[in-house]
Amino acid sequence: MNSGPDRTGDTPALVAQRVSKAFGDTVAVREASFEVERGEIVALLGPSGCGKSTTLRVLAGFEQPDDGVVQINGEIAVGPGVWKPPERRRIGMVPQDFALFPHLSVAENIGFGLTDGHRAWWTRPVRRLRRAQAPARVHEMLELVGLHDFAERYPHELSGGEAQRVALARALAPEPAAVLLDEPFSNLDQNLRASLRLAMRNILKAANTAAVFVTHDREEALSLADRVAVMRDGRIEQIGPPDDIYYRPETRFIGTFVGDANILPGERTRGGAQTELGFVVLADLPSESTGQTVDVLLRPEQLALKPCRDDGPGCANVISSEYYGHDQVVRVRLRSGVEVEARLRTEVVWHPDDPVDVIVLDDAIAFPR
Ligand code: ATP
């Protein structure tokens, strides 16, 4: 199985360059630029209304951008003077509701894209060949998504997770350059989502196709994607690997959107910042901003607690603790009244009013006020 994106110098499978789209006065997408390599999974993550679905629809050809260029396998799909309709783009789509044909079996659903004649990117001889090869390709796709024994079932006989895999197999069957997935887990049981995420990632990696999926769920984006593009107000504010987005967010918005965050006021000093929790080392900071007032971002798992020795006014106090078994989230009020959350292991269980010292375990990041 191929586990990483293919960065061998080939043309990226998908390129969006300064794509913009407005609906009347509402600018849905502003100069969005990104590339997706073959075998790479990119998440478009952001709050409701930030332009994720519109970006996906522009890539698929369901929406015409006002500006910008989309290239698929090195060919311009839309750009100045160029417009290819959806059926002429090498794109596979997995809609939010999976949109399986209820009167077709699983195998027929998967084979539909091979025999329906809508794949206008195929030349006539290729189409003839594809028709002949369709049964073998359907078989291959059933194997890929682990549904070989389900070939004769109908959509109403499938669980949500199985229906999702059929939709994915149908999108992948015609060997698209890229597959686009619109909120692929939103119709599925919350408890199943984590295991289905891994299954989907494995299928996409085995297929070695570029994939872009839209989500407003940060866990989904961080766990499934190779790179995450965080959108806000139509712009891609940052794109990068999940750990970059989580631990090195470029803006305060991203820092607080992609994970739980404590924000502490601080003052920049050499190599770090002075905060109520003492000196905190800052990662990636320009040296000239000493003295600047900053907001220091610390993830709850970057904090630890220890019993406060004096049990006096110098101590912070536990306000509440939520016990989850594998960990606990303890809310603490600092002397100044600022509240922070620590995500801790559970060897020590903390209780309201416990006097504590809060310790910073890692380098933090800071944003100018
Ligand atoms: P959600 O997560 O809620 O689906 P989103 O990030 O996918 O949101 P879009 O659906 O791309 O956001 O919408 C971006 C903006 O464009 C929103 O303000 C939305 O109201 C607007 N918009 C989207 N489609 C249309 C349309 N066809 N006509 C008018 N406005 C639209």
Side-chain angles (χ1 to χ4, degrees):
M1 194 177 73
N2 184 341
S3 60
D6 181 357
R7 296 192 187 281
T8 50
D10 293 345
T11 318
L14 199 59
V15 179
Q17 288 171 315
R18 302 174 73 86
V19 166
S20 296
K21 173 72 186 173
F23 299 100
D25 291 342
T26 307
V27 182
V29 183
R30 296 168 200 263
E31 302 193 344
S33 297
F34 60 98
E35 296 181 356
V36 191
E37 306 288 336
R38 191 162 167 248
E40 185 179 34
I41 306 173
V42 169
L44 296 178
L45 171 71
S48 183
C50 71
K52 308 179 293 290
S53 300
T54 306
T55 305
L56 207 69
R57 291 172 60 76
V58 166
L59 298 176
F62 301 141
E63 214 66 79
Q64 192 148 12
D66 303 323
D67 215 344
V69 174
V70 173
Q71 286 182 46
I72 299 167
N73 266 3
E75 283 181 24
I76 296 182
V78 59
V82 181
W83 168 255
K84 280 191 185 177
E87 67 276 11
R88 293 198 50 225
R89 300 184 184 193
R90 302 193 54 160
I91 293 285
M93 194 73 187
V94 178
Q96 214 172 94
D97 60 1
F98 311 141
L100 299 181
F101 303 114
H103 58 293
L104 298 184
S105 69
V106 164
E108 288 164 342
N109 262 284
I110 296 174
F112 185 81
L114 300 170
T115 52
D116 70 348
H118 287 315
R119 305 289 150 183
W121 75 73
W122 290 342
T123 58
R124 196 175 294 225
V126 170
R127 195 167 301 141
R128 222 177 290 134
L129 183 69
R130 287 302 159 114
R131 277 212 183 104
Q133 291 172 335
R137 182 69 180 157
V138 169
H139 181 81
E140 200 183 327
M141 289 295 103
L142 283 166
E143 291 287 340
L144 177 73
V145 300
L147 288 177
H148 199 257
D149 295 338
F150 291 65
E152 302 311 320
R153 286 212 198 168
Y154 283 83
H156 71 272
E157 299 170 313
L158 302 174
S159 71
E162 289 155 3
Q164 183 197 50
R165 279 186 278 159
V166 175
L168 187 54
R170 185 179 58 183
L172 290 170
E175 295 179 69
V179 57
L180 309 180
L181 306 103
D182 189 2
E183 297 272 5
F185 300 94
S186 62
N187 275 328
L188 299 172
D189 188 287
Q190 185 69 37
N191 294 325
L192 280 177
R193 288 186 190 185
S195 61
L196 292 173
R197 286 202 292 259
L198 183 61
M200 174 171 292
R201 187 174 158 84
N202 288 341
I203 292 168
L204 290 170
K205 287 294 171 185
N208 199 26
T209 306
V212 180
F213 74 101
V214 156
T215 182
H216 57 263
D217 181 322
R218 64 200 192 190
E219 266 185 30
E220 211 167 280
L222 295 174
S223 62
L224 178 53
D226 296 308
R227 287 188 302 144
V228 179
V230 187
M231 291 191 74
R232 182 194 193 190
D233 293 338
R235 281 189 202 287
I236 295 181
E237 218 163 270
Q238 186 174 353
I239 181 163
D243 60 326
D244 257 10
I245 297 285
Y246 188 76
Y247 281 116
R248 289 170 288 282
E250 285 169 8
T251 64
R252 189 185 154 124
F253 163 76
I254 295 173
T256 52
F257 187 76
V258 301
D260 295 335
N262 297 300
I263 304 282
L264 284 178
E267 187 179 318
R268 282 286 324 282
T269 56
R270 272 176 70 89
Q274 202 60 42
T275 73
E276 190 177 355
L277 299 179
F279 177 76
V280 176
V281 178
L282 294 179
D284 305 335
L285 74 176
S287 58
E288 68 275 10
S289 47
T290 305
Q292 192 182 34
T293 309
V294 289
D295 282 330
V296 175
L297 183 147
L298 286 159
R299 300 283 179 209
E301 64 273 19
Q302 294 180 300
L303 299 180
L305 302 182
K306 66 173 189 186
C308 181
R309 263 188 272 137
D310 341 330
D311 190 8
C315 300
N317 284 99
V318 171
I319 305 170
S320 62
S321 93
E322 289 168 65
Y323 182 83
Y324 296 112
H326 44 76
D327 61 10
Q328 59 184 326
V329 175
V330 182
R331 199 158 183 84
V332 173
R333 184 176 294 115
L334 305 181
R335 260 170 41 192
S336 64
V338 169
E339 293 180 11
V340 294
E341 260 180 15
R343 187 176 283 277
L344 308 167
R345 294 173 55 160
T346 48
E347 297 95 340
V348 179
V349 177
W350 299 94
H351 300 99
D353 295 331
D354 281 348
V356 290
D357 282 325
V358 180
I359 299 147
V360 177
L361 300 173
D362 293 313
D363 295 2
I365 44 157
F367 305 106
R369 271 282 173 88

